[in-house]
Structure formats: structure tokens, C-alpha cells
Amino acid sequence: MSFSNTDTGSKPADPYKEQNKNETSLKEKVQDLVTFMEKCKFAMMTTRIGSSGLLVSRCMALAAKEGGGIDLLFHTNTESGKTDDLKSDPKINIAFLNSSGEWASVSGEATIATDRETIRKYYSPALKAWVGDLGDGKHDGGPEDPRIGMIAVKAVTATYAITNQSFLSRSMEVTKGMVTGSAPNVNMLRELSQEELEECELTTIVLFTAAL
């Protein structure tokens, strides 16, 4: 099912996308995405509320990456609303944005990890400030606190837009577009399909196995 409000004939209905679509190797697409996410650090995590079906977004700090850098991990309090959301519907979106307007959107499925081996591996002392010490000897904000878990996001698709142009160059492109009616070439707009991400993860596994 799709939506359309007009017919543009042979001309592209979305000239911005056509002008900025950037094709390159899978390796470069993945590496540029990983680098961008690392630089952003913070992201908006969108989940679906089970009781209403409405979407809700929360700001989250990226804790770690796996699967060649495309599968994302976040710390969580297991007793929070987002874990309720994910139990009802594991589909999730992670969105990154910087002050230059560059952005990335990663869609996938999430699992909640509570095994202590994983928690100890990625534990940060800063978590104690967020979950607190309840003073009962168990819920102390440490790595053994059962409230501390990880949200693991397995990426299924990704779309992102980055640029190698200066702010001045991009401004000039936009100004030219306003005058001429042509779409400005200001970003490298890229998409990673489910098949491409699966290929990337398989390659990572093969390389890791070969290194053992």
C-alpha cells in the first residue's frame, strides 16, 4: 500500500532523493554508518506502547555495538516502560541526529538481555546514578543488580544521510535551488537493505572465525 497525491509523469516526484542518492560499496556504506553513530553517541529509541499502540521515543546513550558495528546495545532499567513496550512488540527504531542535520535511522528487532555475563561485560559505574541504591543489599546499582539489563537491537534496515561538504557549500546549494527550482545536492543519502545487513553480519562472522 502506498500514498500518492499527484502524477508527475516521467519526472521524479521526489527530486531531493534522486539528487542526493549515493551508491557506494557495501563496506563503505556500513563503515560510514558505524562511524556516524559512534560520533553521535546519543539516539532516540522509538517503541510501541502495548496498551494503546501509540509510539513513544526516548533519548538513549549507545553503550556498545556488535555484528560488525550495526547491531546496537543500550543499558536499561528492566522495570522501565520501554521494556514493557518491547515485550509487547520487539520492533524498534533507533534514530541519530547531529547539529549539522546529518542523520541515521536504524530499524530492527530488540531483545532484552538480563544474563549477568552480558551485564558485567558492558557495565558502567555511571548506571548507579540512574537506578540508584535502594539500600537492600541487592538493588545497589552494581553489575549484579537485577534491574540492570541490556536492550540489544538487531538491525534489519538502515537509512542515513551524511555530508562531506562545508556549511557554506551546502548553504550555496540550497540558495541555488531556491532560485533555479533544482534540488540541492547537499547529502549522501544511502540505504542498507535487510539483505545487505545480513551479508555484512555473515562476513563479520567469517572473518572472526578465520581469526580464531
Side-chain angles (χ1 to χ4, degrees):
M1 182 181 296
S2 61
F3 175 85
S4 178
N5 195 45
T6 188
D7 182 0
T8 59
S10 61
K11 296 182 180 180
D14 188 353
Y16 164 79
K17 183 175 182 179
E18 289 297 315
Q19 181 73 351
N20 290 271
K21 188 164 53 177
N22 179 267
E23 293 298 333
T24 185
S25 68
L26 176 58
K27 180 179 179 181
E28 184 175 348
K29 283 202 290 186
V30 170
Q31 186 55 57
D32 284 349
L33 172 61
V34 171
T35 299
F36 177 70
M37 292 189 297
E38 287 176 343
K39 288 182 178 178
C40 285
K41 178 63 176 177
F42 292 97
M44 295 301 291
M45 173 184 289
T46 301
T47 57
R48 186 181 300 278
I49 302 171
S51 59
S52 66
L54 296 175
L55 302 176
V56 59
S57 297
R58 302 170 176 89
C59 184
M60 302 286 287
L62 181 61
K65 304 181 303 302
E66 292 181 340
I70 56 176
D71 294 334
L72 313 176
L73 291 102
F74 301 86
H75 292 116
T76 186
N77 184 333
T78 61
E79 311 311 298
S80 68
K82 54 187 171 291
T83 53
D84 292 337
D85 297 346
L86 293 172
K87 183 178 180 181
S88 172
D89 185 351
K91 291 182 176 61
I92 195 169
N93 180 267
I94 307 296
F96 297 84
L97 176 69
N98 69 14
S99 59
S100 299
E102 297 173 298
W103 57 269
S105 172
V106 178
S107 295
E109 296 207 357
T111 55
I112 303 168
T114 57
D115 64 283
R116 289 306 102 186
E117 182 179 353
T118 300
I119 305 309
R120 293 188 201 102
K121 181 179 179 180
Y122 296 114
Y123 178 78
S124 168
L127 291 169
K128 191 169 186 176
W130 296 102
V131 300
D133 184 347
L134 303 187
D136 59 4
K138 181 179 181 180
H139 304 99
D140 59 2
E144 306 306 316
D145 188 329
R147 295 174 299 163
I148 295 178
M150 302 290 297
I151 295 176
V153 179
K154 182 172 180 56
V156 176
T157 63
T159 304
Y160 68 97
I162 58 175
T163 185
N164 56 10
Q165 300 180 35
S166 67
F167 176 77
L168 180 60
S169 296
R170 297 172 76 191
S171 298
M172 290 176 63
E173 273 287 308
V174 173
T175 301
K176 183 178 74 173
M178 293 170 63
V179 174
T180 64
S182 60
N185 185 354
V186 292
N187 289 316
M188 293 184 289
L189 183 61
R190 297 171 177 169
E191 296 179 350
L192 284 158
S193 67
Q194 181 174 357
E195 292 74 21
E196 287 178 310
L197 291 180
E198 288 175 349
E199 179 184 341
C200 173
E201 190 156 4
L202 179 61
T203 302
T204 301
I205 293 172
V206 171
L207 291 174
F208 178 76
T209 304
L212 294 177

